[in-house]
Amino acid sequence: MSATIRLKTPLSDSDVEKLKAGDKVLLTGVIYTGRDAAHKRLFDLLKEGKPLPVDLKGQVIYYVGPAPAKPGQAIGSAGPTTSGRMDAFSPKLMEIGLKGMIGKGMRKKEVIEAMKKYKAVYFAATGGAGALLAKAIKKAEVVAYEDLGPEAVSRLEVEDFPVIVVNDTEGNDLYQQGMQQYAR
Amino acid sequence: MREIHASEIAKVVKSLCIEANLYLGEDVLAAFDRAEKMEESPVGKEVFEQLKENARIAREEQVAICQDTGLAVVFVELGQEVHIFGGDFNAAINEGVKQGYQEGYLRKSACHCFSRANTRDNTPAVIHVEMVPGDKVKITVAPKGGGSENMSMVTMLSPSDGIEGIKNRVVEWVKQAGSNPCPPIVVGVGIGGTFEQTALIAKKALLRTLGEKNPDPKLAALEEELLTRINNLGIGPQGLGGRFTALAVHVEMIPCHIASFPMAVNINCHAHRHKEAVI
Ligand code: SF4
């Protein structure tokens, strides 16, 4: 296990190339939320050759549908959702410059290949730790698709948001490695 | 005949929705403590730390344990001596869900299957009513998140598959689910009944106090063996590798047709939420 790495978003190729599966990372800066319905809309816009509501170059998308914020809170509980549902859309987004994805659960082979090809990484945040993770989110503002409710795209300002690298730019997979290490 | 006003049902459902989503049960917290001590993976230990801290924040700051506050699954044991008056019983439950999810700042996760348009109040609730003797109404609210529910299954085995068939399917299924359902998980297994019954008893198995064994020694042994085999997979907390993929396996069994051997696996995540009240 390596020590914790502090990283600022947006991420460059060299930022992500340094990351290895198993690295613990604290992210600071702006990240964007997006899950099922938002991915579908972004993907459809790209297919039609239309501009996206946010420029994803160098950005990190967090697969999350937060709980509503209580008065005085920046955001309600906000842990990751299952990433596999975004697999169909992710390679296209990496192609246009997306550098990081935060979620939980396994990615398809094509997505892992795309991370190698386009230089991007997949981070896991602790699924179900939504109350804890919300503490690292200082500001949240809907920037697109407000009609989608919890599925809208929001711009989050995060400070030391804790994640772990699952898939790196070399095709390593922490889920596979971890399981092999502890299987009996 | 005891009279209970429908508004009373709504009130109770409302507070159960909030309590279930904010306060993780003592049985689950105790299971985290036990597992954390025995977990060999350093990352796994850290995950347990985070989960305990998460539960503490949720409790103290009165926020949802997990942002996926689920579809509201409501089990009702309705005493046959009770007369509900003053309104529609099912509507009262839905009203309770609506108010609870609104006032508790819980996420609304119910949507239309095709358009995916959110119903905006987390209704309709999933309601299971069972008539029982007596003049009480017992209501259990068990919010169920999508991540773990998606990793569940029903299979119609052949009687010749036997108990080994059950074991292999459960272990295979948990392996396939991997990191998706937010391990450490709780595994509810239903055996027998019909297609729909086997799924229902698998879900009900999740309501049992965590780690409490099935009173039938054969089924208790099956639970134990399944837990060992699942934890030998090495998936570990959050799928990052480790000893604890599951905190418990709960099996329920009922008789089935001479030609059938149905089984179901209902996976629940560590956000193992349910709260009950008796009116
Ligand atoms: S599987 Fe459970 S803990 Fe994980 S995100 Fe869904 S509801 Fe939350």
Side-chain angles (χ1 to χ4, degrees), chain B residues 63-179:
Chain B
V63 294
I65 298 160
C66 177
Q67 75 291 336
D68 185 352
T69 48
L71 286 189
V73 182
V74 183
F75 290 95
V76 184
E77 287 177 25
L78 181 59
Q80 64 190 33
E81 315 287 334
V82 174
H83 172 223
I84 310 279
F85 74 104
D88 175 325
F89 178 65
N90 288 304
I93 292 178
N94 278 311
E95 182 57 29
V97 167
K98 185 174 154 185
Q99 289 178 12
Y101 275 72
Q102 195 56 42
E103 290 172 34
Y105 294 91
L106 307 177
R107 197 181 79 184
K108 290 87 188 159
S109 308
C111 75
H112 185 277
C113 289
F114 292 163
S115 74
R116 311 305 291 178
N118 200 297
T119 67
R120 301 214 163 244
D121 58 10
N122 219 44
T123 66
V126 183
I127 306 171
H128 302 287
V129 184
E130 198 183 332
M131 193 78 108
V132 296
D135 64 353
K136 305 258 188 295
V137 182
K138 180 174 160 190
I139 303 178
T140 306
V141 173
K144 192 65 172 75
S148 53
E149 193 72 352
N150 284 347
M151 297 295 115
S152 304
M153 67 108 178
V154 177
T155 311
M156 307 305 279
L157 296 180
S158 158
S160 65
D161 289 326
I163 191 163
E164 285 307 313
I166 299 269
K167 291 178 195 167
N168 293 336
R169 289 301 166 97
V170 174
V171 177
E172 249 168 54
W173 204 259
V174 170
K175 186 172 182 187
Q176 250 185 61
S179 50

Side-chain angles (χ1 to χ4, degrees), chain B:
Chain B
M1 200 59 125
R2 189 170 159 227
E3 303 263 317
I4 296 177
H5 199 279
S7 65
E8 177 71 11
I9 303 280
K11 213 174 84 195
V12 169
V13 168
K14 170 187 157 182
S15 50
L16 288 175
C17 287
I18 297 175
E19 282 169 33
N21 276 301
L22 268 42
Y23 311 126
L24 199 59
E26 290 301 326
D27 55 339
V28 184
L29 291 169
F32 286 172
D33 278 331
R34 281 197 302 273
E36 189 191 357
K37 285 201 193 85
M38 288 158 69
E39 180 54 63
E40 293 162 18
S41 145
V43 183
K45 270 191 192 294
E46 260 174 60
V47 169
F48 280 114
E49 271 301 303
Q50 286 184 328
L51 297 184
K52 282 160 59 178
E53 176 66 3
N54 185 66
R56 186 192 62 77
I57 295 171
R59 181 178 297 265
E60 284 175 10
E61 301 187 7
Q62 310 248 308
V63 294
I65 298 160
C66 177
Q67 75 291 336
D68 185 352
T69 48
L71 286 189
V73 182
V74 183
F75 290 95
V76 184
E77 287 177 25
L78 181 59
Q80 64 190 33
E81 315 287 334
V82 174
H83 172 223
I84 310 279
F85 74 104
D88 175 325
F89 178 65
N90 288 304
I93 292 178
N94 278 311
E95 182 57 29
V97 167
K98 185 174 154 185
Q99 289 178 12
Y101 275 72
Q102 195 56 42
E103 290 172 34
Y105 294 91
L106 307 177
R107 197 181 79 184
K108 290 87 188 159
S109 308
C111 75
H112 185 277
C113 289
F114 292 163
S115 74
R116 311 305 291 178
N118 200 297
T119 67
R120 301 214 163 244
D121 58 10
N122 219 44
T123 66
V126 183
I127 306 171
H128 302 287
V129 184
E130 198 183 332
M131 193 78 108
V132 296
D135 64 353
K136 305 258 188 295
V137 182
K138 180 174 160 190
I139 303 178
T140 306
V141 173
K144 192 65 172 75
S148 53
E149 193 72 352
N150 284 347
M151 297 295 115
S152 304
M153 67 108 178
V154 177
T155 311
M156 307 305 279
L157 296 180
S158 158
S160 65
D161 289 326
I163 191 163
E164 285 307 313
I166 299 269
K167 291 178 195 167
N168 293 336
R169 289 301 166 97
V170 174
V171 177
E172 249 168 54
W173 204 259
V174 170
K175 186 172 182 187
Q176 250 185 61
S179 50
N180 287 1
C182 289
I185 55 175
V186 179
V187 185
V189 180
I191 307 173
T194 49
F195 177 77
E196 82 285 6
Q197 248 183 331
T198 198
L200 189 58
I201 61 171
K203 173 139 287 163
K204 276 193 179 164
L206 295 173
L207 301 179
R208 201 197 296 163
T209 301
L210 202 60
E212 216 176 78
K213 291 183 182 7
N214 189 299
D216 176 338
K218 278 215 179 78
L219 295 179
L222 176 61
E223 292 176 344
E224 182 102 25
E225 183 184 341
L226 285 172
L227 182 61
T228 305
R229 281 182 63 181
I230 287 169
N231 283 340
N232 282 348
L233 291 171
I235 294 168
Q238 293 296 307
L240 301 170
R243 281 279 63 86
F244 284 89
T245 304
L247 296 169
V249 178
H250 293 174
V251 178
E252 293 295 335
M253 187 168 80
I254 50 176
C256 61
H257 190 280
I258 50 173
S260 322
F261 194 29
M263 68 166 291
V265 180
N266 195 197
I267 294 185
N268 205 5
C269 42
H270 59 76
H272 184 64
R273 299 159 287 190
H274 53 94
K275 285 280 182 291
E276 57 181 57
V278 178
I279 307 175

